Amino acid sequence: MSPRRRSGFSLIELFVVLVVISILVGLAIPRMHTIKHQFYLTTMISDLRNLAATEEGYWSTADSYSTDLSALRFNTTPGVWITFVQADSMGWSATATHDADTSHCAIYYGNAPVLPPATLKNYIGCSQ
């Protein structure tokens, strides 16, 4: 009588593969959350930088800063909201938020008052 040939995997082999895959997924999910959070911060920072350049271009022609994004011909990244706190001929300040994240970024220029989390003039600050 010849020995029987087995084909396929045993239940224990399948269980070991399932455990290894579960561990890898468990390690990847927290990393994905961090990567998404960094992406949202980057989009808010990018929009505020672009807004700063647009505001300076507007000031060079109008001799004042504006709080009207349509007058500035400025479009935000989808999901990002810009809120102006102040804008006049002496300076401006604004915050940026993202629909999918709880943090926010801020910037202030000129003689506008300090707008936390931005604590240095002309530098973007973000809450974590």
Side-chain angles (χ1 to χ4, degrees):
M1 195 178 257
S2 65
R4 288 176 79 186
R5 294 189 106 188
R6 283 184 24 196
S7 64
F9 298 103
S10 71
L11 190 58
I12 291 179
E13 291 169 332
L14 290 174
F15 181 70
V16 168
V17 169
L18 187 63
V19 167
V20 169
I21 290 173
S22 299
I23 289 171
L24 291 174
V25 168
L27 293 172
I29 288 176
R31 181 77 177 134
M32 285 298 296
H33 177 71
T34 302
I35 290 169
K36 285 173 60 175
H37 175 69
Q38 287 299 322
F39 169 75
Y40 298 138
L41 284 177
T42 302
T43 56
M44 290 185 285
I45 290 169
S46 175
D47 278 5
L48 285 175
R49 283 184 182 151
N50 292 335
L51 178 63
T54 304
E55 282 282 11
E56 292 305 312
Y58 184 85
W59 185 84
S60 68
T61 59
D63 212 24
S64 182
Y65 295 106
S66 176
T67 59
D68 184 10
L69 291 177
S70 61
L72 294 170
R73 297 182 184 156
F74 183 79
N75 294 318
T76 61
T77 304
V80 175
W81 296 94
I82 301 286
T83 305
F84 284 98
V85 177
Q86 175 185 346
D88 56 26
S89 62
M90 301 302 289
W92 64 277
S93 59
T95 61
T97 56
H98 197 286
D99 289 339
D101 200 58
T102 57
S103 58
H104 69 282
C105 297
I107 188 170
Y108 68 99
Y109 267 75
N111 290 335
V114 174
L115 184 61
T119 56
L120 296 171
K121 189 182 297 187
N122 306 341
Y123 289 96
I124 299 169
C126 295
S127 67
Q128 299 295 332

